[in-house]
Amino acid sequence: MRVLVTGGGGFLGGAIAERLARRGDAVRSYSRGRYPALEALGVEHARGDLADRAAVGAAAEGCDAVVHTAAKAGVWGDEADYHRANVVGTRNVLAACREAGVPKLVYTSTPSVVHVGGHLEGGDESLPYTTHPSTAYQATKTTAEREVLAAGSATLAVVALRPHLIWGPGDPHLVPRIVARGRRGRIALPAGGTHRVDTIYVDNAADAHVAALDALAPDAACAGRAYFITNGEPVPLRQIVLGILSAHGVDAKVVAIPPRLAHAAGALLEGAFRLAKAEREPPLTRFVAEQLSTAHWFSIDAAKRDLGWAPRVSIAEGLERLRASHSRTA
């Protein structure tokens, strides 16, 4: 196949592009930069912005499938920027698929689209969408996922995947934040991080996208549906945090704080940063405090059944790979 991967230079997108290239697919990456490691694998680069409809359309020309991973993530920032990247950008991808006659679209979503506050334990795809999003990211990804699934037709098969907390070597988001805080010697977690959460090792997330791409067709069981994608190993939050710290040679203690205190601190920091018109993200927000204070793990039975996929790399093995990667670059 000739596959367009939006966000091919990113953490997940790069892992997907690499897998597709190594198995012999012709891969085109659409992103704003150049990535020599992908070029070395023969990946073609199309540079541009998701909000540029003409550029997205040109990138999709001649493709047999699109894997749309590119998005603006985070819990802070201008709502217009999130809308431009996540909603307008996804609409442009859908338009490009239709105009170029691309028959398959795999969309990277997020479990945040069903987050309504409180614990989510063993939830499946029957969970309803949130109606009161807490962040611009959550709001725009919810809109985008709904529009993608509604766009499915006899000529365009669509599927959405919801990976939860992707991590691994090269992670530019979750792992560096945990390590930076751990290096202070103490890391504060609401309720001591005792609630169980799901995560997914990056290789497993990439494999799921490739499996979805292969399974997808207008009459496939996965067409028009969304799937939770995790390692299938919910563990206490403190366990994954301490595991990541240990893999980086960081010895830190988890300090338990009351969830209500964390939420109040998040609200206070949000207010202060808005008042100061600060562009950088506060060290804690209400949404993050809520996520850290609750259990959130999901059933992946539907993904196993319909995509023919299962996570291959356990959390324990992933942490060993993270440790080895850190040792090589330290």
Side-chain angles (χ1 to χ4, degrees):
M1 287 187 292
R2 177 171 290 279
V3 185
L4 172 66
V5 180
T6 71
F11 183 44
L12 174 61
I16 294 168
E18 179 181 350
R19 268 161 182 66
L20 293 172
R22 289 191 184 282
R23 76 175 193 174
D25 289 318
V27 183
R28 180 181 295 157
S29 168
Y30 185 77
S31 53
R32 287 182 288 188
R34 288 187 60 231
Y35 299 91
L38 290 182
E39 289 178 353
L41 293 172
V43 174
E44 177 187 349
H45 278 281
R47 297 180 71 172
D49 190 284
L50 278 176
D52 185 339
R53 180 165 173 169
V56 175
E61 284 291 336
C63 290
D64 303 303
V66 173
V67 181
H68 179 31
T69 73
K72 178 175 174 58
V75 297
W76 192 254
D78 192 326
E79 290 185 16
D81 291 341
Y82 282 95
H83 182 82
R84 182 172 179 270
N86 299 343
V87 177
V88 175
T90 299
R91 287 172 180 167
N92 288 343
V93 169
L94 287 169
C97 287
R98 294 190 192 100
E99 291 164 8
V102 177
K104 296 185 179 187
L105 171 61
V106 178
Y107 171 69
T108 307
S109 187
T110 167
S112 295
V113 300
V114 301
H115 179 77
V116 293
H119 300 290
L120 282 173
E121 299 178 279
D124 63 19
E125 289 76 10
S126 67
L127 289 167
Y129 287 110
T130 180
T131 55
H132 295 87
S134 302
T135 67
Y137 174 72
Q138 186 184 19
T140 54
K141 291 295 282 186
T142 300
T143 297
E145 182 187 290
R146 297 183 79 154
E147 292 190 7
V148 166
L149 297 183
S153 68
T155 56
L156 177 60
V158 299
V159 64
L161 303 187
R162 300 167 174 172
H164 193 248
L165 294 178
I166 306 172
W167 61 277
D171 172 15
H173 303 297
L174 181 66
V175 168
R177 289 188 178 198
I178 291 174
V179 172
R181 296 195 180 193
R183 282 183 173 144
R184 301 169 189 169
R186 293 154 60 99
I187 191 160
L189 293 176
T194 55
H195 295 303
R196 291 200 295 166
V197 299
D198 261 332
T199 64
I200 185 165
Y201 187 72
V202 63
D203 287 5
N204 295 331
D207 287 345
H209 282 73
V210 174
L213 183 63
D214 291 343
L216 190 57
D219 59 350
C222 63
R225 297 190 59 184
Y227 294 89
F228 290 111
I229 301 295
T230 78
N231 246 62
E233 299 176 85
V235 298
L237 176 61
R238 64 181 295 134
Q239 182 176 325
I240 193 72
V241 167
L242 291 174
I244 288 171
L245 291 176
S246 176
H248 286 78
V250 177
D251 184 19
K253 293 182 179 180
V254 170
V255 179
I257 60 173
R260 287 186 178 181
L261 178 59
H263 192 275
L268 182 64
L269 286 166
E270 282 184 41
F273 272 59
R274 285 198 178 97
L275 188 63
K277 296 182 180 180
E279 292 187 6
R280 66 186 180 91
E281 183 181 311
L284 184 65
T285 66
R286 285 170 293 176
F287 180 77
V288 171
E290 189 173 81
Q291 289 280 292
L292 295 175
S293 301
T294 56
H296 35 102
W297 55 277
F298 307 89
S299 169
I300 58 173
D301 289 346
K304 289 180 176 180
R305 181 190 67 233
D306 294 346
L307 306 182
W309 163 87
R312 295 182 299 106
V313 182
S314 68
I315 289 177
E317 183 180 347
L319 288 171
E320 284 305 311
R321 292 185 182 186
L322 193 63
R323 185 187 303 277
S325 175
H326 174 68
S327 296
R328 288 193 297 270
T329 57

